[in-house]
Amino acid sequence: MIACNYAEMGFIMKFFHLSDLHFGKQLHGYDLIEEQREIIQSLMNAAKKERPDAIVIAGDIYDRSVPSGSAMALLEELFLGIDGLSNGSGELQGAAGLSEREKPIELLIIAGNHDSAPRLRYGSAFLERHHIHIAVFPPREEQEGIQKVTLSDGQGNVNFYLLPYTSVGMLRGLAGGERLESADDAVRFLLERETIDWSERNVLVSHQFYLHGGKVPEQCDSEAPRLYVGGLDAVNTTTVERFDYVALGHIHSPQNLGSGHIRYCGAPYPYSVSEAAQEKSATVVEFGKKGEVTVKSIPLEPLRKIQRLRGTLEEVASMAAGINDVDDYVSITLTDEEPLEEPKEYLERYYGHILEIKIDNLRSKKMLEEEIQDMQELTPFEAFEAFFKDSAGRQMNESEKTEFMAILDGLSDGRIE
């Protein structure tokens, strides 16, 4: 456990909640390093103004388990920026420091499912001496607990429990004979092992898929497709509701789950066309005494926005004159009925960053309707049989057919839910 006492300074506790930075991510083939560097600068400017005690990042620092050199450089820039603000040096692109604050900003990071734990953990002992706390694994030995960082203000302690992305498989050794069947079982098991003083203010930082009242949170195309088999990888908010604030990562759309104290802050940049209309932000959490929590959002203005354009080829070309920045990323849907020759090459005269060009006309709609009709004519068994052949590269054998038919029978008579 790390303890940092700032109570004598009289400040109330304030921290930024961020997640899903996905350093190294590409958008339809475009490298987003410029955009992500701009986000770092925006965060430093916001920290300069808000003066948080801590910045919490709830997982998925990198987009890939083996990050590129440029992605790792971005994380270093983030570290240097926060260190510059803490020391009043303002090292990041000339940002003014917080010399009047006279205390460091604590950086609290957990690993997400995209992160490589060993790579993210590298140098963590050294970084901790510079107020950077990184948790990459859940407890795996009997003597281990969830990594805890305690900060203090005029109202007492605020305990941050750093719980990285956790699966049932990670806990097999620790659980021993206890049967864990779902992510909810795993998180509940770990929390029940902790001695938590609920009279103090407690924050859980977690990177999992959470459900509130069985309702699936809003998701974006930028999130990897997930198959929730019986909800096995979902955690119920009832498991964590006693915490004063739950800082979640994993979902890219900012949203509260139930009341405002359990929150996905969302990704700081739109990583798919489906996020074009979202206002990206950093969540700012402020604690008073026990039970007093204020949550607000600070908008993060992207270097390039994502815009959706729709019309005929010539209509879309003419729209460029009315757009403030034709260097924005654009997703284009063309409605021309006649065949088009090289529409992207033509439109690149007007737009600098075309993400995709889709066709939506009567011909394409008719083709789609015919495909859907063909699919509707398949029985569930035939549909799965075709899927199996496409995935496995072979036909189902008789044993597999019999097993799948048994599953269908179980679904139809209610034995399987």
Side-chain angles (χ1 to χ4, degrees), residues 147-301:
Q147 187 169 330
K148 176 182 171 185
V149 177
T150 297
L151 307 182
S152 300
D153 63 7
Q155 300 293 332
N157 289 340
V158 178
N159 305 304
F160 292 82
Y161 290 86
L162 308 184
L163 180 59
Y165 176 75
T166 301
S167 67
V168 170
M170 294 177 181
L171 305 182
R172 285 201 179 97
L174 182 63
E178 186 164 347
R179 188 178 178 86
L180 304 178
E181 297 183 346
S182 67
D184 187 68
D185 289 344
V187 172
R188 190 180 298 273
F189 168 75
L190 290 175
L191 292 177
E192 288 176 350
R193 294 177 71 250
E194 296 293 317
T195 302
I196 300 176
D197 185 349
W198 295 109
S199 68
E200 295 186 333
R201 294 162 297 171
N202 297 291
V203 177
L204 177 68
V205 187
S206 177
H207 189 96
Q208 305 283 156
F209 181 74
Y210 280 81
L211 300 178
H212 179 72
K215 184 180 179 181
V216 176
E218 178 188 346
Q219 298 174 72
C220 307
D221 294 343
S222 59
E223 297 160 72
R226 301 185 182 96
L227 180 62
Y228 302 107
V229 182
L232 294 182
D233 61 348
V235 182
N236 295 309
T237 55
T238 53
T239 301
V240 300
E241 63 186 358
R242 289 192 69 184
F243 285 89
D244 295 272
Y245 185 79
V246 183
L248 298 179
H250 201 32
I251 300 297
H252 293 185
S253 298
Q255 58 198 290
N256 296 330
L257 299 186
S259 63
H261 82 292
I262 303 177
R263 178 170 173 79
Y264 283 111
C265 62
Y269 188 83
Y271 289 128
S272 70
V273 175
S274 64
E275 300 167 69
Q278 288 183 3
E279 184 180 78
K280 296 300 186 176
S281 61
T283 295
V284 182
V285 183
E286 202 166 74
F287 279 154
K289 62 184 180 182
K290 177 75 174 179
E292 294 180 351
V293 183
T294 302
V295 180
K296 68 177 182 179
S297 296
I298 298 177
L300 297 174
E301 192 67 25

Side-chain angles (χ1 to χ4, degrees), residues 17-18 27 71 91 106 214 269-270 276 294 339 375 403 410 414:
H17 169 200
L18 305 164
L27 180 62
E91 293 178 13
E106 304 290 329
Y269 188 83
T294 302
M375 292 173 62
E403 187 174 348

Side-chain angles (χ1 to χ4, degrees), residues 42-187:
S42 296
L43 289 172
M44 294 306 101
N45 291 339
K48 173 190 169 186
K49 180 179 179 181
E50 293 286 334
R51 298 199 247 176
D53 298 279
I55 295 176
V56 174
I57 306 179
D60 280 357
I61 311 305
Y62 295 124
D63 189 57
R64 298 180 180 180
S65 59
V66 183
S68 64
S70 59
M72 296 174 71
L74 285 172
L75 182 59
E76 183 180 24
E77 288 182 29
L78 178 63
F79 288 169
L80 290 173
I82 293 173
D83 184 64
L85 292 177
S86 297
N87 295 315
S89 62
E91 293 178 13
L92 184 67
Q93 298 184 20
L98 304 181
S99 55
E100 69 273 22
R101 184 75 168 174
E102 292 187 352
K103 74 179 185 68
I105 297 173
E106 304 290 329
L107 179 58
L108 283 57
I109 297 174
I110 65 170
N113 59 303
H114 279 249
D115 296 311
S116 164
R119 285 180 171 82
L120 194 58
R121 183 177 58 177
Y122 183 77
S124 58
F126 172 81
L127 292 171
E128 197 168 276
R129 295 200 294 270
H130 292 265
H131 307 280
I132 298 170
H133 314 274
I134 302 176
V136 298
F137 289 118
R140 295 179 294 177
E141 302 291 339
E142 186 60 38
Q143 69 275 15
E144 293 179 346
I146 297 174
Q147 187 169 330
K148 176 182 171 185
V149 177
T150 297
L151 307 182
S152 300
D153 63 7
Q155 300 293 332
N157 289 340
V158 178
N159 305 304
F160 292 82
Y161 290 86
L162 308 184
L163 180 59
Y165 176 75
T166 301
S167 67
V168 170
M170 294 177 181
L171 305 182
R172 285 201 179 97
L174 182 63
E178 186 164 347
R179 188 178 178 86
L180 304 178
E181 297 183 346
S182 67
D184 187 68
D185 289 344
V187 172

